[in-house]
Amino acid sequence: MNNLARIGVAVPDDLLEKFDQLIEQRGYANRSEAFRDLIRDALVQEIVVQPKQEVVGTLTLVYDHHARQLQERLIGQQHDHFEQIVSTLHVHLDHDNCLEVLVLRGEGTDVKAIADRLIAAKGIRHGKLVLTATDAPKARR
Ligand code: NI
């Protein structure tokens, strides 16, 4: 068990009020626990824990399947990284829009690079990668 360090944080009143509402909604016991979770999440998302650490990520993409050659390009990129992309879920949201959720697994730097490239593909309306790690710091809780 690590020693606990105490820090003082200056926060504007209105921001703290919103933070307190959030931690109540999420059911945290206190501010410290909520704050620790925010730090852990930020560390996992930026992979500063260990760059070579294996991570698991879900990448959500929304795009218009009419966008020129987009679907072909997406499929091509996914086949280029078949070792890291372990599963893909496709949902036809409406007449035009598709939702894809990809599960990626591999070294953090690789997973981030693949996701960044897919999100940057022309025609993608929204893309977001959420990373987690099997040995993320939270497991210690
Ligand atoms: Ni579709």
Side-chain angles (χ1 to χ4, degrees), residues 63 65 71 90-94 97-99:
Y63 60 90
H65 72 96
Q71 219 150 13
H90 187 107
V91 178
H92 311 300
L93 287 179
D94 55 36
N97 293 295
C98 298
L99 167 78

Side-chain angles (χ1 to χ4, degrees), residues 36-141:
R36 284 192 286 269
D37 262 9
L38 289 179
I39 294 172
R40 290 183 190 109
D41 187 55
L43 289 173
V44 170
Q45 294 309 316
E46 289 307 314
I47 329 173
V48 292
V49 182
Q50 282 176 354
K52 290 279 178 187
Q53 180 181 337
E54 178 169 285
V55 298
V56 180
T58 53
L59 174 62
T60 301
L61 299 172
V62 175
Y63 60 90
D64 183 341
H65 72 96
H66 297 113
R68 202 164 165 268
Q69 294 178 334
L70 176 60
Q71 219 150 13
E72 288 84 348
R73 281 185 281 124
L74 288 178
I75 290 170
Q77 283 190 37
Q78 293 183 36
H79 278 275
D80 288 344
H81 303 289
F82 66 88
E83 286 178 76
Q84 287 87 16
I85 298 174
V86 296
S87 185
T88 305
L89 169 77
H90 187 107
V91 178
H92 311 300
L93 287 179
D94 55 36
H95 187 71
D96 301 318
N97 293 295
C98 298
L99 167 78
E100 256 179 41
V101 180
L102 284 63
V103 178
L104 299 99
R105 182 174 204 165
E107 283 185 11
T109 43
D110 291 341
V111 167
K112 274 204 101 167
I114 293 165
D116 285 345
R117 208 167 151 229
L118 286 164
I119 292 169
K122 201 178 170 202
I124 297 289
R125 288 185 167 162
H126 179 238
K128 186 168 175 64
L129 175 68
V130 176
L131 289 177
T132 188
T134 49
D135 55 350
K138 186 162 183 172
R140 216 184 291 122
R141 186 149 75 148

Side-chain angles (χ1 to χ4, degrees), residues 1-15:
M1 185 68 185
N2 290 348
N3 290 324
L4 290 174
R6 294 196 172 275
I7 57 169
V9 182
V11 182
D13 287 347
D14 56 340
L15 190 60

